[in-house]
């Protein structure tokens, strides 16, 4: 049965947030519709998150769960929910209560005006370290400059998508997901709603700096070939500088009668060129790794169990 709206919620170790999140979601959504579904994706949680989801599904037949066989990652969990949802529109929201469910009616109101994508843009980010804020701002502004299309800055995955956007996303089968970039790449009519992002009430964030760095690499390698162009240009630059040094050495030896010596300068130049070579190989390797992952054609995720009838989820 087609729903008016689907809510996709990835869950990873959020046992203390799930009950409150559910209450706030239902209170927010029922302001404008009674025909909805909540799809929770348990991404290999090691606490009692899945038990909490089972309880909710027993008291409300509009609550659905997808239980992964292990942790596959946030972006993959969201992708699973998008594959299974049946709403005319779909909202993606995290399970940590940092993105307030009370914003959903505003997203829906903009959607009813004819927008296909309505993303929530942060005015403030409470409860986050200065380092996380500054690195996030810097990353999105760099990404905006190196991609050939507009990726909204100061936004996460909290947004509403029309059904046609969801169907288009589901056709994008790459293994290394960066959904906010994929949605921007699709185009469609987009707008935003401003909000203040709350601090986390319980638990700790599943996004470590390592995972954030991995997401940043996926974002850059998915939507820009500028790093490869950088490798080519720096290779030409170093070759040109090396050629000038060779000419100077020949001129100094035969004309100035001074042979250039110096162990220090030799070691420094060797280490510099070696470092550039390793950087270049690493950048090229990231692109090759993406090709390798997609060639394997493995499934994005494995579902251990779910209460969604697969024949009902287009």
């Amino acid at each position: 049965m087609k729903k008016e709206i689907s809510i996709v919620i990835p869950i990873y170790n959020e046992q203390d947030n799930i009950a409150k999140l559910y209450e706030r979601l239902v209170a927010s959504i029922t302001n404008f519709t009674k025909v909805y579904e909540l799809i929770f994706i348990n991404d290999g949680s090691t606490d009692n998150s899945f038990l909490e989801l089972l309880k909710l599904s027993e008291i409300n037949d509009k609550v659905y769960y997808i239980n992964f066989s292990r942790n596959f990652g946030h972006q993959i969990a969201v992708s699973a929910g998008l594959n299974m949802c049946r709403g005319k529109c779909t909202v993606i929201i995290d399970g940590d209560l940092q993105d307030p469910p009370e914003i959903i009616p505003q997203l829906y109101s903009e959607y009813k005006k004819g927008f296909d994508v309505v993303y929530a843009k942060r005015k403030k980010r409470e409860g986050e370290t200065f380092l996380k804020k500054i690195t996030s701002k810097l990353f999105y502004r760099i990404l905006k400059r190196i991609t050939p299309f507009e990726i909204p800055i100061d936004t996460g995955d909290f947004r509403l998508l029309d059904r046609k956007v969801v169907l288009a996303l589901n056709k994008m089968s790459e293994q290394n997901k960066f959904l906010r970039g994929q949605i921007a790449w699709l185009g469609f009519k987009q707008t935003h709603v401003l909000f203040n992002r709350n601090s986390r009430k319980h638990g700790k964030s599943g996004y470590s700096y390592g995972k954030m760095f991995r997401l940043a690499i996926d974002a850059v390698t998915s939507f820009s070939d500028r790093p490869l162009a950088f490798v080519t240009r720096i290779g030409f630059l170093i070759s040109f500088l090396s050629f000038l040094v060779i000419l100077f050495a020949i001129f100094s030896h035969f004309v100035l009668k001074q042979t250039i010596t110096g162990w220090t300068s030799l070691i420094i130049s060797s280490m510099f060129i070696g470092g550039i070579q390793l950087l270049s190989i690493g950048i090229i390797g990231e692109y090759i790794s993406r090709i390798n992952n997609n060639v394997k054609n493995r499934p994005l995720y494995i579902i251990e169990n779910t209460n969604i009838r697969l024949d009902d989820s287009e």
Side-chain angles (χ1 to χ4, degrees):
M1 175 183 175
K2 187 72 73 176
K3 310 293 183 180
E4 180 63 25
I5 188 169
S6 301
I7 312 295
V8 171
I9 313 109
I11 296 292
Y12 179 69
N13 292 344
E14 301 288 358
Q15 64 177 18
D16 296 324
N17 291 322
I18 289 174
K20 187 64 176 177
L21 173 64
Y22 167 75
E23 293 176 6
R24 291 174 61 181
L25 281 171
V26 172
S28 176
I29 298 165
T30 51
N31 282 327
F32 58 87
T33 185
K34 304 295 183 183
V35 186
Y36 66 90
E37 64 179 1
L38 306 179
I39 301 179
F40 293 89
I41 305 93
N42 182 42
D43 186 24
S45 297
T46 56
D47 61 3
N48 292 322
S49 293
F50 183 54
L51 294 178
E52 293 294 320
L53 299 181
L54 287 176
K55 293 177 185 177
L56 293 180
S57 67
E58 291 172 357
I59 64 175
N60 187 345
D61 61 3
K62 295 182 175 66
V63 172
Y64 299 91
Y65 60 82
I66 300 171
N67 186 38
F68 281 173
S69 62
R70 64 169 177 83
N71 178 258
F72 284 90
H74 177 272
Q75 298 289 285
I76 302 300
V78 174
S79 298
L82 294 176
N83 287 333
M84 299 289 191
C85 67
R86 294 159 288 189
K88 295 177 183 176
C89 62
T90 300
V91 169
I92 303 168
I93 184 170
D94 286 343
D96 54 14
L97 288 174
Q98 289 188 270
D99 296 329
E102 292 75 18
I103 300 296
I104 294 176
Q106 297 181 43
L107 301 178
Y108 184 78
S109 177
E110 293 298 316
Y111 161 71
K112 297 303 285 185
K113 294 177 182 178
F115 291 99
D116 301 309
V117 178
V118 187
Y119 54 89
K121 186 172 183 177
R122 306 164 184 141
K123 288 191 295 184
K124 294 181 180 178
R125 303 178 63 167
E126 299 177 3
E128 294 184 356
T129 64
F130 173 78
L131 179 61
K132 188 171 184 178
K133 290 179 181 178
I134 196 68
T135 53
S136 178
K137 281 184 175 293
L138 182 62
F139 163 68
Y140 281 110
R141 281 152 181 79
I142 293 174
L143 186 63
K144 184 177 181 180
R145 291 183 64 87
I146 66 175
T147 50
F149 55 92
E150 187 77 12
I151 296 181
I153 60 175
D154 299 325
T155 65
D157 292 312
F158 185 24
R159 61 190 65 205
L160 180 147
L161 309 174
D162 182 77
R163 182 65 181 170
K164 62 175 173 280
V165 180
V166 173
L167 293 176
L169 270 178
N170 290 341
K171 294 178 182 177
M172 302 174 74
S173 59
E174 57 256 44
Q175 297 281 323
N176 303 84
K177 296 285 188 181
F178 183 64
L179 291 171
R180 63 201 75 164
Q182 290 177 257
I183 294 168
W185 180 87
L186 287 173
F188 294 109
K189 192 176 180 182
Q190 305 192 14
T191 189
H192 69 271
V193 168
L194 293 173
F195 80 108
N196 293 325
R197 193 162 198 251
N198 301 322
S199 59
R200 172 180 277 272
K201 296 294 186 290
H202 301 284
K204 61 180 182 179
S205 174
Y207 259 114
S208 63
Y209 283 106
K211 288 184 178 180
M212 290 172 61
F213 180 74
R214 182 68 259 173
L215 184 65
I217 294 296
D218 287 340
V220 172
T221 54
S222 292
F223 299 103
S224 177
D225 59 1
R226 292 286 185 87
L228 292 175
F230 166 78
V231 168
T232 302
R233 290 169 185 168
I234 202 168
F236 276 118
L237 177 62
I238 291 176
S239 297
F240 178 70
L241 292 176
S242 299
F243 179 69
L244 291 180
V245 170
I246 292 171
L247 290 180
F248 177 73
I250 294 174
F251 176 80
S252 178
H253 180 76
F254 289 103
V255 178
L256 301 180
K257 304 300 182 181
Q258 296 177 354
T259 301
I260 300 176
T261 60
W263 180 86
T264 303
S265 59
L266 178 64
I267 292 299
I268 290 174
S269 60
S270 297
M271 291 179 65
F272 173 71
I273 294 173
I276 294 298
Q277 288 176 331
L278 289 175
L279 174 64
S280 303
I281 292 171
I283 291 173
I284 296 170
E286 284 293 335
Y287 284 90
I288 294 175
S289 174
R290 294 184 63 85
I291 296 171
N292 180 55
N293 287 337
N294 285 290
V295 167
K296 290 175 184 175
N297 201 29
R298 292 175 181 169
L300 276 178
Y301 51 85
I302 302 296
I303 298 176
E304 184 172 339
N305 45 56
T306 179
N307 63 343
I308 300 177
R309 289 180 56 187
L310 300 183
D311 55 343
D312 285 343
S313 59
E314 301 174 8

